[in-house]
Amino acid sequence: MSHLLPLSRVAKLVGQPRHALQEMIRGGVLATFDGMVELDELLRVFPDVKWDDDAEFRRVQEIKDKAFAKRVLERALPDKDVLVARLNALGNDYAAAKALLLHYGNVMTWLDEKIDEIEEDQSAETRHALHTVRAFLLRNLAEVPPDAVQAQATIAQERIFKIMSAHVTIQPSGHEFYVEGNDTLLEAALRNGVSLNYGCSNGNCGDCKARVLSGEVTKVHAHDYVLKEAEKEAGVVLLCAYAPVNDVVIEANVAGARDIPVQQLTAKVKSIEVFNPHMAALHILAPRSQRLRYLGGQSVDVSIDGVKGRYAIASCPCEDRHIEIQIPRRADDAFVESVFGSLKANDVVKVEGPFGEFVLDEDSPRPVIFLAFGAGFAPIKSLIQHAMSLELAESMDLHWLADEAGHYQDNLCRAWADALDNFNYLPHALTDDPEAVLQSIVMDYPDLHRFDVYAAGTATQLEQARRHFVAEGLHEARWFAGVMDT
Ligand code: FES
């Protein structure tokens, strides 16, 4: 009986990023069947992986031992109805497997008796053959091969994953993610950078309606929005009120930059982080009842006491209520002076947006070069984090050409490079000859036609860079520019 696993679950089991497995599939190293991996194939390709079937149980125990606040503990574990439904499904699987084993046992007993019955009238040669077959079957049933022990550990690990999380595929876009803890489908999608339609996020507006194509979901939050009977029969649910019981396929639209409406919200300052005299970050916390919908790389207008500025967002859409903008210090700018001077935590700010179409092409499987000129690092940071949460690119290289503010988040970039096999960080010091730096960068990519390039800086810097990249083979259509001086 074959045991098929989705690729993203295999990635979790073997501790490899999904793009690394996709590379193995493309190279013919790992075989798939309808996008799934057979357990035997998994064990063949990863014979040395140590299957630690206690890891997830230990994680739960640690959460308890550390005596997290009740709310944190509740978030880490699936909703109790979801847990019951998942255990129920597991129980059914176990019962079916046990019934099948019983049946195989009965067939073996019958075969044993049948051999006894028919061997009496047979020749010595046939009796010998029948004995050989019986001995072979009994010997193989008595000995559990080492492969089976490893398969058992893998299945046990996978079952624990299935209790703690469920896999979601969004159609027609093909986005995939896991719903973990007591997240709803909507919360998990946003956490994974998938921009689904929604409005209130608390069951009132109906904007998050989507259809369940396969799998089972259950309501985990009450909602005031009333679904029509025909919608319910068609499998329509509210993503902000439902969680998956098992692996599900959902039909829902993933928003592009033009689909997300401009929103206005009143938020609070969480903190101000002054990196150096030239650069600061403003961390804003959106209200619980109204998050800001945006995509990595977009901008917002922020106003404080009527003084307004438009800035690129530096945070990831997957960061729940947190919005970060980075603000270079400019002379005679009242907004900038208030950020560097009088603004403090809990002050009220008004946010309007998002604006702009400097966003990821989520359909592109190409390797990516990110090019940040000075404060252009802000939208690039947002794009990188968004790409990471979507596990999008095969490889990502960040070239950061410093201005007077320097590489003010150098440690963060180095931490990304340490943590991710497919991320390279290449800082370039402030120079009076940017043309030479750009030329040296493009010369490192003899196969530029394979890449997407996302660049952020002033219009002049971007035009200069575009000429170098296109001259060395980059397709014009794969150049994405975020202009910072508008
Ligand atoms: S987002 Fe409003 S009902 Fe779900």
Side-chain angles (χ1 to χ4, degrees), residues 186 198-208 238 240:
L186 179 65
Y198 76 102
C200 63
S201 76
N202 57 16
N204 280 311
C205 67
D207 287 358
C208 65
L238 296 179
C240 68

Side-chain angles (χ1 to χ4, degrees), residues 38 112 231 301 321 343 346 476:
E38 283 220 30
D112 199 28
E231 287 177 323
D301 284 351
R321 296 161 59 202
L343 200 66
N346 288 324
E476 288 264 13

Side-chain angles (χ1 to χ4, degrees), residues 173-198:
S173 72
H175 283 88
E176 292 179 64
F177 57 89
Y178 280 91
V179 179
E180 303 193 350
N182 77 347
D183 276 353
T184 61
L185 282 156
L186 179 65
E187 286 165 333
L190 299 179
R191 215 182 284 288
N192 286 279
V194 182
S195 179
L196 298 178
N197 278 341
Y198 76 102

Side-chain angles (χ1 to χ4, degrees), residues 426-479:
L426 302 122
H428 303 273
L430 178 62
T431 173
D432 50 11
D433 190 1
E435 295 275 5
V437 175
L438 287 167
Q439 191 54 29
S440 75
I441 292 173
V442 293
M443 295 319 283
D444 280 343
Y445 296 93
D447 51 351
L448 261 181
H449 61 279
R450 292 178 55 235
F451 284 79
D452 287 348
V453 178
Y454 293 85
T458 64
T460 311
Q461 289 167 329
L462 293 177
E463 181 46 29
Q464 213 173 36
R466 191 194 65 79
R467 274 192 279 105
H468 281 276
F469 277 84
V470 171
E472 293 303 325
L474 179 77
H475 294 304
E476 288 264 13
R478 306 320 299 170
W479 169 261

Side-chain angles (χ1 to χ4, degrees), residues 55-68:
E56 205 68 9
F57 281 135
R58 275 207 307 276
R59 192 170 77 83
V60 175
Q61 194 56 46
E62 273 169 23
I63 291 167
K64 284 186 191 161
D65 292 348
K66 282 181 186 163
F68 269 62

Side-chain angles (χ1 to χ4, degrees), residues 187-448:
E187 286 165 333
L190 299 179
R191 215 182 284 288
N192 286 279
V194 182
S195 179
L196 298 178
N197 278 341
Y198 76 102
C200 63
S201 76
N202 57 16
N204 280 311
C205 67
D207 287 358
C208 65
K209 271 193 279 191
R211 197 153 73 91
V212 180
L213 299 179
S214 71
E216 199 186 329
V217 298
T218 189
K219 195 199 287 186
V220 289
H221 297 308
H223 54 82
D224 292 338
Y225 183 86
V226 182
L227 288 165
K228 296 189 186 87
E229 272 317 308
E231 287 177 323
K232 285 189 203 165
E233 276 165 29
V236 172
V237 296
L238 296 179
L239 298 176
C240 68
Y242 280 75
V245 169
N246 46 28
D247 295 352
V248 292
V249 180
I250 305 277
E251 183 183 61
N253 282 333
V254 175
R258 291 182 191 169
D259 306 319
I260 300 179
V262 172
Q263 306 136 72
Q264 280 112 12
L265 49 121
T266 303
K268 285 199 168 163
V269 173
K270 193 173 161 208
S271 63
I272 296 139
E273 187 180 10
V274 178
F275 297 115
N276 58 43
H278 305 286
M279 182 64 68
L282 175 59
H283 297 274
I284 298 169
L285 196 63
R288 227 177 267 288
S289 57
Q290 196 194 0
R291 322 283 164 102
L292 180 76
R293 285 184 67 196
Y294 66 93
L295 297 176
Q298 290 191 292
S299 303
V300 279
D301 284 351
V302 182
S303 50
I304 304 164
D305 294 333
V307 186
K308 188 155 88 174
R310 177 167 295 186
Y311 293 96
I313 301 170
S315 45
C316 173
C318 56
E319 286 183 68
D320 202 15
R321 296 161 59 202
H322 172 228
I323 306 160
E324 178 189 347
I325 58 170
Q326 294 185 346
I327 301 165
R329 191 161 207 166
R330 283 191 294 248
D332 303 326
D333 185 323
F335 182 88
V336 170
E337 284 318 311
S338 72
V339 170
F340 277 85
S342 56
L343 200 66
K344 57 187 183 315
N346 288 324
D347 280 356
V348 170
V349 291
K350 293 209 184 300
V351 179
E352 184 173 351
F355 303 105
E357 294 180 19
F358 182 51
V359 298
L360 292 169
D361 176 358
E362 293 183 26
D363 294 329
S364 171
R366 291 158 164 265
V368 176
I369 298 169
F370 292 105
L371 191 64
F373 289 93
F377 177 69
I380 293 292
K381 178 183 170 186
S382 178
L383 287 175
I384 290 172
Q385 292 175 111
H386 197 182
M388 285 176 184
S389 69
L390 288 165
E391 288 191 37
L392 214 55
E394 165 190 323
S395 73
M396 295 185 276
D397 290 356
L398 165 62
H399 291 270
W400 187 359
L401 288 77
D403 60 11
E404 70 278 6
H407 299 110
Y408 54 88
Q409 290 210 286
D410 195 55
N411 285 346
L412 174 71
C413 301
R414 290 187 191 285
W416 287 337
D418 287 345
L420 299 169
D421 292 341
N422 66 334
F423 184 86
N424 298 304
Y425 172 46
L426 302 122
H428 303 273
L430 178 62
T431 173
D432 50 11
D433 190 1
E435 295 275 5
V437 175
L438 287 167
Q439 191 54 29
S440 75
I441 292 173
V442 293
M443 295 319 283
D444 280 343
Y445 296 93
D447 51 351
L448 261 181

